[in-house]
Amino acid sequence: MARLKVGVLISGRGTNLQSLLDACAEPAFPAEIVLVISNQPGAAGLGRAERAGCATRTINHREYPDRPAFDAALDQALNEAGVDFVCLAGFMRVLSAGMVERWRDRMINIHPSLLPSFKGLHAQDQALAAGVRLAGCTVHFVRPATDSGPIIAQAAVPVSGDDDAGSLAARVLEAEHRIYPLALGLIAEGRVSVVDEKVVIAGMETAAGTLINPAEA
Ligand code: GRF
């Protein structure tokens, strides 16, 4: 079966991109990354893509007069590369509603919180300020409102008493690197659909067990 042709949009270090590149390096994985675009010149993630032999483009938002013009350049680059599906991976620009609608149900994002809690920037600071005992991450389809849209996969991790935003972010990031390839693989297998703005996964294997924090005696 043909592999799903994926474009990844990044702005920075690209560790989630790396997890997707690593998954796509497996011959049995049903997706391939055909283009990585960064809006930030010199983003570390571009080097990751190049080392994996993947095409890259830099589309610097500062060189466009407004958001729709920047988004049109992104859209054109994705189409020229034959991209079927887009993964946002630490892409720090808000996309226009028109761009989001053009890629409706063909664009996903990863966010470092258990959505719908803690949308936006500094999710771990928000989690610590709220005093939650479980934090986590979410892969979701993109909708015009930031960090909203049908949820595909989530992972939960414990918050420890001496966490700061950095230590919590590192724990969540490890989970991100597991669920982003998981979600993309399910999509590329054709098992994911959106029904009434909720995700249905054909043949979904539900995780077993309960994560309790603090641990029971
Ligand atoms: C991740 O925490 C991701 O959830 C958020 O931005 C960060 C990107 O990190 N959207 P990286 O560039 O993938 O390492």
Side-chain angles (χ1 to χ4, degrees), residues 64-112:
Y64 294 85
D66 53 27
R67 201 178 295 280
F70 169 65
D71 286 358
L74 291 177
D75 197 42
Q76 188 179 352
L78 293 167
N79 288 322
E80 281 171 5
V83 166
D84 301 315
F85 198 89
V86 175
C87 292
L88 306 182
F91 183 66
M92 300 305 285
R93 301 297 298 172
V94 173
L95 295 169
S96 61
M99 177 73 174
V100 170
E101 285 307 328
R102 276 200 295 286
W103 289 89
R104 189 182 180 87
D105 296 344
R106 296 188 300 140
M107 180 184 279
I108 59 176
N109 179 47
I110 187 155
H111 182 75

Side-chain angles (χ1 to χ4, degrees), residues 141 150-153 191-195 197-201 204:
F141 284 102
I151 290 169
I152 305 156
R191 293 170 57 187
V192 174
S193 44
V194 180
V195 180
E197 283 298 88
K198 290 188 192 64
V199 166
V200 177
I201 302 176
M204 176 168 125

Side-chain angles (χ1 to χ4, degrees), residues 10-18 45 48 88-92 109-113 124 137-138 147 169 172-173 176-177 180:
I10 63 165
S11 299
R13 65 187 170 175
T15 67
N16 278 290
L17 164 66
Q18 188 70 56
R48 295 175 184 275
L88 306 182
F91 183 66
M92 300 305 285
N109 179 47
I110 187 155
H111 182 75
S113 77
Q124 307 318 343
C137 49
T138 303
D147 299 324
V172 170
L173 193 62
E176 292 182 45
H177 298 160
Y180 215 177

Side-chain angles (χ1 to χ4, degrees), residues 127-163:
L128 292 172
V132 294
R133 295 277 182 235
L134 298 175
C137 49
T138 303
V139 180
H140 63 95
F141 284 102
V142 175
R143 294 291 183 262
T146 306
D147 299 324
S148 69
I151 290 169
I152 305 156
Q154 293 186 302
V157 300
V159 180
S160 100
D162 50 15
D163 267 327

Side-chain angles (χ1 to χ4, degrees), residues 27-66:
F29 195 74
E32 61 180 324
I33 298 174
V34 297
L35 181 64
V36 173
I37 303 175
S38 173
N39 67 304
Q40 292 287 3
L46 290 169
R48 295 175 184 275
E50 284 160 13
R51 284 192 289 281
C54 186
T56 64
R57 296 270 303 263
T58 298
I59 299 178
N60 184 344
H61 60 278
R62 296 170 197 84
E63 294 173 0
Y64 294 85
D66 53 27

